[in-house]
Amino acid sequence: MLSNLEQQPADALLALIKLHNADPRADKIDLGVGVYRTGQGATPVFGAIKAAEQKLVDTQESNSYLGPEGDMGFVHALMPYIFGKEDPSKDGRIEGMQAPGGTGAVRLAVALAKRSGVTRIIMGLPSWPNHAQILGDLAVELVSFSHAGTDGKVDMDALRGAIAAAQPGDAIMLHGCCHNPTGIDYSEAQWDEIAALIKAKGLLPILDLAYQGLGAGMEEDAYGVRTVLAAVPEALVAYSCDKNFGMYRDRVGAIYVMAQDAAALNRVLSNGHALARAAWSMPPDHGGAAVRLILEDAGLTAMWLDELDTMRARMRQVRARLAAAGQAGNIDLTAIGHQNGLFSVLPLSSEQILRLRSDHGIYMAGSGRVNIAGLTTGNIDKFIAALAAVSAGT
């Protein structure tokens, strides 16, 4: 039976990593892998995480099962940052459960939406590739619209049109901040309009908040989620701690449900627990426990937020330098200065991306997505010059 399976294509990003690792050039640049890097090119463990992990070593007394909901202390500790400190549960209408990373949270959100009767999800493209893969694997139809135009700004007309054409029972998936892969986010005024449109059409919003704190700040990056939730009766929120706590391989995420009332909330969560039990039984505990310990300790929280501020400031500096360069050959870099998060997409052809790799040792995704954090004061001028070289005359 297993011989009936068809060969699947290799993951393009993993293949790119292998090519980069095999390149002997000392000045090669990796802009493909989606992890934060310091100005020295490292992806360090947060100091706050190390301190929390030491606390776990010293105080954790058991590794016994927690259940499909995971560490609820972790789930609740995040809520004031996501939903606001005044009333994070929205009068008992919001509750969550731990998930194995943002990927697990998105998959569970889509599975819950499907179980509730959703057959189509509206989503802007380009998007994180795994979004479409999850929808396809769960047999939920993707209804796409253009997220952004060639001018580096969001395509609000396309979004308005997609919502206007929505059918009863549709859901809509939106990036909460730091759009992956474009870095092009909605403004606060645009979020206000989006929330009103979703409410008027009766759509179920699925909000993916994977980069909170890496855009404009923890509070600012939550504006879209909070605005949509203030307008609608129910919603699903997928959350990831991969980037803002540096917990990539520990798979630390959460899914939150906002329901019309407490009775409906309990029913939704019972379905979430059942789906999680069948999929992964329960999420890994270590990373979530470390995050919980940070958020329970004022000193560690301050340390974490300071580390997050440093990350955000560095990426803003890189973006400012690229924007200041203006034109690199035929590539206009100015819009990058107004974008947010780890990523931006450059309008490069496949041939130009291959030339960057072969002639200059610069590795990026075939889509033109670049990881801004892969650039440093030591390599950014080379990158700008290489862009000019490969795009001149095109």
Side-chain angles (χ1 to χ4, degrees):
M1 293 296 289
L2 295 178
S3 62
N4 293 329
L5 294 172
E6 296 182 1
Q7 180 67 40
Q8 297 297 304
D11 184 278
L13 191 55
L14 296 179
L16 190 69
I17 293 171
K18 291 181 179 179
L19 288 171
H20 174 267
N21 290 341
D23 191 328
R25 286 174 284 191
D27 62 346
K28 61 187 178 183
I29 303 174
D30 177 13
L31 303 180
V33 182
V35 299
Y36 172 77
R37 289 198 173 97
T38 66
Q40 293 71 46
T43 303
V45 178
F46 281 34
I49 288 291
K50 281 185 172 289
E53 288 178 321
Q54 187 59 57
K55 273 193 173 186
L56 282 175
V57 170
D58 295 339
T59 64
Q60 191 171 39
E61 296 179 349
S62 175
N63 278 325
S64 183
Y65 295 124
L66 289 177
E69 70 276 11
D71 185 338
M72 292 305 293
F74 155 76
V75 172
H76 292 155
L78 283 171
M79 288 176 65
Y81 295 93
I82 304 170
F83 306 113
K85 293 179 172 61
E86 288 188 7
D87 184 16
S89 75
K90 294 292 181 286
D91 199 25
R93 293 173 54 217
I94 297 178
E95 183 57 284
M97 53 188 290
Q98 190 179 346
T103 302
V106 169
R107 184 179 180 89
L108 187 52
V110 174
L112 273 170
K114 180 179 180 180
R115 183 173 279 201
S116 72
V118 170
T119 60
R120 308 192 327 156
I121 293 180
I122 301 164
M123 185 177 75
L125 294 180
S127 188
W128 178 49
N130 222 10
H131 279 151
Q133 290 182 178
I134 290 170
L135 266 61
D137 193 50
L138 289 170
V140 175
E141 181 183 352
L142 167 60
V143 180
S144 66
F145 64 92
S146 173
H147 170 67
T150 56
D151 58 358
K153 299 178 181 178
V154 294
D155 189 340
M156 283 298 292
D157 286 339
L159 174 58
R160 293 183 189 109
I163 293 177
Q167 299 174 6
D170 283 351
I172 184 167
M173 184 179 291
L174 297 168
H175 298 234
C177 68
C178 304
H179 186 273
N180 178 4
T182 68
I184 301 171
D185 286 346
Y186 299 113
S187 68
E188 291 187 358
Q190 288 167 336
W191 273 117
D192 293 343
E193 180 183 353
I194 291 166
L197 291 171
I198 291 173
K199 177 184 179 180
K201 200 67 177 182
L203 302 179
L204 173 67
I206 302 174
L207 305 168
D208 187 2
L209 191 57
Y211 302 92
Q212 188 184 12
L214 297 184
M218 287 294 291
E219 285 292 302
E220 295 88 342
D221 291 350
Y223 184 88
V225 169
R226 295 178 189 176
T227 301
V228 172
L229 265 58
V232 300
E234 54 185 13
L236 296 166
V237 178
Y239 194 87
S240 173
C241 296
D242 286 7
K243 307 299 192 297
N244 60 2
F245 284 89
M247 301 296 283
Y248 307 97
R249 67 177 66 167
D250 281 294
R251 314 310 304 139
V252 185
I255 174 174
Y256 293 92
V257 178
M258 186 179 77
Q260 294 183 357
D261 52 46
L265 181 61
N266 288 333
R267 288 196 302 274
V268 177
L269 288 171
S270 72
N271 281 269
H273 295 162
L275 287 165
R277 181 74 168 119
W280 51 72
S281 189
M282 61 197 62
D285 174 65
H286 177 84
V291 170
R292 170 175 52 77
L293 288 176
I294 289 173
L295 298 180
E296 290 174 346
D297 184 297
L300 290 181
T301 297
M303 182 188 298
W304 161 61
L305 290 173
D306 183 63
E307 292 177 288
L308 194 57
D309 288 348
T310 299
M311 293 170 60
R312 185 173 61 252
R314 191 182 107 66
M315 288 188 290
R316 292 249 70 92
Q317 289 169 357
V318 172
R319 289 186 177 280
R321 172 67 184 90
L322 290 172
Q327 290 285 136
N330 287 333
I331 306 298
D332 185 0
L333 299 176
T334 54
I336 291 177
H338 304 291
Q339 297 165 8
N340 293 313
L342 281 175
F343 305 115
S344 287
V345 175
L346 299 177
L348 295 165
S349 68
S350 298
E351 179 184 356
Q352 290 168 334
I353 291 171
L354 287 174
R355 284 184 58 199
L356 283 170
R357 186 190 310 168
S358 62
D359 298 353
H360 304 279
I362 298 173
Y363 290 76
M364 67 176 67
S367 63
R369 188 194 83 167
V370 293
N371 178 6
I372 294 297
L375 294 169
T376 69
T377 55
N379 66 24
I380 195 167
D381 289 338
K382 171 188 170 172
F383 174 67
I384 294 169
L387 284 179
V390 302
S391 67
T394 59

